[in-house]
Structures are given as structure tokens and as C-alpha cells.
């Protein structure tokens, strides 16, 4: 699962296709995306995912995923076990154009249900399940984002072309739970990023007030 750090050369790193997670992703980039008046993430997408009365929407992870040329495909997997409500939403942001030869993530829509998870965990039904699934290739243009339910089966595909980088952040769904122990283990997150979405909305309002007061 995404909740564990990958060590280069470890069994988990081998299994997940040598996906590297370098340090150096800055909180300012996240603040720009969520606080800038031109960003539609906060106003359109998140308002649909998280009702205003749901509770604080906390950040669970924030890092980047880098796939280099020659990286093999990952095993098809979910990031969390099945639960009645989605526990985590992951937002992938393309930092460059990503075409079909650069190992884009493939999503298997409709696989976030209990029956699919049972079949995927069973060796006798797994292959037949994967043959019947629909696959959506996550090719993206620079600046595009994709949002994924953590229960959804997915995989980073084989990279035959060159390095590609995705920034990502993962949000805890307060409708699932407000208790940290009810979520997958914490993974990569910028030190000190103990904020929720409401903090970024407050930054936007504060910035607007400062601008107005300066006129």
C-alpha cells in the first residue's frame, strides 16, 4: 500500500516497479494550488467530495512519484482495503506531459466494491477478474490532475520512454472516520504539513483581505 515508504532495493520497491519518492516537494506548491483564486480544486471538486458539515479534511500524504525509463509495470493493487465509504482520496498532479510510453497510471473504474476486492484477493478468481475489468489510461498534460478513490484497483504501467513525475497528495475522508488509526499507515508527507483543507481556504480569504486593505 502507499502508506509504506519504499526503500530502493527492497522487496516492496521491486514489486511496485522501482517507483521512487524523492524528497524536496514544497508545501508552497500545494498552497498555490489550493489557495489561488484561479484554482478550481477547492471550489468545485472538493466541495463535491466533502460536504461542508463532514468535518476537517486532513492531509494524509504529500510527495511525488517518479518513474524512470525501464521501470516495469506495478502489480495491480488498491491503496486501501474495502470499506463502505472511501477512506482516502488521492490527487495526482502532472508536472509534465505524460504519454502512453511513460508508464502512466492505469485505473480500473468500478473496482472499489467488496465483491471485486474479494475476487482480487483470491488466486483462483483474480486473473479472470482482471481480464473482465475496464482499464483507463492516465495520460495527462502538464497541470492536469486525476482524483482516485483509494479502494480503486490501479497500476503504474511499464515506462519505455523517459522519466515522468507526478506530485500527489492524499486526503482523509472525514465521513469514513476522524480517527487516524482507521486509515492506512501514514506514508510520505512533508514534515510539518499538519493542515486540513479549511486552512488553505483561510489563506485565500486572508490574502484577499490583505490585497483589499492595500488599495
Amino acid at each position: 500500500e502507499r502508506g509504506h515508504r519504499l526503500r530502493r532495493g527492497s522487496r516492496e520497491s521491486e514489486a511496485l516497479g522501482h517507483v521512487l519518492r524523492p524528497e524536496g516537494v514544497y508545501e508552497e506548491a500545494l498552497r498555490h494550488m489550493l489557495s489561488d483564486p484561479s484554482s478550481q480544486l477547492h471550489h468545485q471538486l472538493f466541495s463535491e467530495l466533502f460536504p461542508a458539515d463532514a468535518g476537517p479534511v486532513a492531509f494524509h500524504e504529500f510527495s511525488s512519484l517518479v518513474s524512470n525509463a525501464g521501470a516495469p509495470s506495478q502489480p495491480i493493487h488498491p491503496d486501501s482495503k474495502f470499506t463502505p465509504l472511501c477512506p482516502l482520496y488521492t490527487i495526482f498532479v502532472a508536472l509534465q506531459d505524460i504519454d502512453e510510453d511513460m508508464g502512466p497510471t492505469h485505473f480500473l473504474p468500478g473496482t472499489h466494491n467488496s465483491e471485486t476486492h474479494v475476487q482480487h484477493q483470491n488466486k483462483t478468481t483474480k486473473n479472470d477478474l482482471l481480464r473482465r475489468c475496464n482499464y483507463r489510461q492516465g495520460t495527462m498534460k502538464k497541470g492536469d490532475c486525476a482524483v482516485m478513490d483509494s479502494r480503486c484497483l490501479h497500476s503504474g504501467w511499464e515506462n519505455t520512454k523517459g522519466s515522468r513525475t507526478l506530485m500527489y497528495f492524499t486526503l482523509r475522508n472525514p465521513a469514513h472516520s476522524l480517527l487516524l488509526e482507521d486509515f492506512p499507515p501514514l506514508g510520505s508527507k512533508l514534515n510539518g504539513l499538519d493542515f486540513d483543507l479549511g486552512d488553505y481556504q483561510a489563506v485565500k480569504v486572508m490574502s484577499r483581505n490583505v490585497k483589499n486593505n492595500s488599495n
Side-chain angles (χ1 to χ4, degrees):
E1 291 184 354
R2 192 185 309 279
H4 299 282
R5 287 183 179 272
L6 300 184
R7 300 185 308 277
R8 186 179 294 186
S10 68
R11 289 184 179 180
E12 187 177 11
S13 176
E14 296 282 344
L16 291 179
H18 300 283
V19 175
L20 308 179
R21 299 185 182 182
E23 300 297 329
V25 181
Y26 297 102
E27 191 259 339
E28 287 81 357
L30 189 60
R31 188 176 298 278
H32 175 76
M33 284 191 298
L34 299 181
S35 302
D36 191 283
S38 64
S39 173
Q40 299 300 311
L41 280 175
H42 210 301
H43 295 289
Q44 294 184 355
L45 177 61
F46 295 148
S47 62
E48 294 182 13
L49 294 178
F50 309 113
D53 59 351
V57 180
F59 289 91
H60 196 70
E61 293 183 292
F62 177 43
S63 190
S64 60
L65 295 168
V66 179
S67 171
N68 293 321
S73 297
Q74 296 177 334
I76 296 173
H77 64 283
D79 281 349
S80 64
K81 65 182 181 180
F82 173 77
T83 51
L85 295 176
C86 173
L88 299 168
Y89 289 103
T90 298
I91 293 83
F92 300 101
V93 183
L95 301 184
Q96 65 190 94
D97 292 351
I98 299 173
D99 63 34
E100 60 185 7
D101 297 322
M102 300 176 73
T105 302
H106 281 61
F107 304 98
L108 283 62
T111 58
H112 57 293
N113 58 75
S114 176
E115 181 181 358
T116 295
H117 277 233
V118 170
Q119 292 181 28
H120 184 254
Q121 294 168 9
N122 189 323
K123 293 182 178 179
T124 62
T125 58
K126 179 177 179 178
N127 289 339
D128 182 60
L129 165 72
L130 296 180
R131 280 193 295 267
R132 292 185 284 105
C133 284
N134 294 318
Y135 290 74
R136 299 289 178 85
Q137 190 178 67
T139 53
M140 305 169 75
K141 293 293 185 181
K142 182 179 178 179
D144 286 350
C145 71
V147 181
M148 185 186 74
D149 182 319
S150 62
R151 302 167 298 176
C152 178
L153 296 180
H154 63 285
S155 168
W157 234 236
E158 178 185 10
N159 187 337
T160 62
K161 187 174 183 179
S163 178
R164 59 96 171 149
T165 305
L166 285 172
M167 184 171 75
Y168 76 90
F169 57 96
T170 300
L171 300 169
R172 295 199 289 268
N173 182 7
H176 167 73
S177 178
L178 296 176
L179 301 175
L180 181 60
E181 57 265 32
D182 291 335
F183 295 89
L186 283 169
S188 302
K189 190 172 75 167
L190 194 68
N191 290 335
L193 188 64
D194 296 321
F195 303 117
D196 60 49
L197 284 182
D199 294 313
Y200 286 94
Q201 181 68 11
V203 168
K204 176 182 174 183
V205 172
M206 180 176 67
S207 299
R208 183 187 302 150
N209 290 338
V210 169
K211 181 177 180 180
N212 291 339
N213 292 334
S214 65
N215 293 335

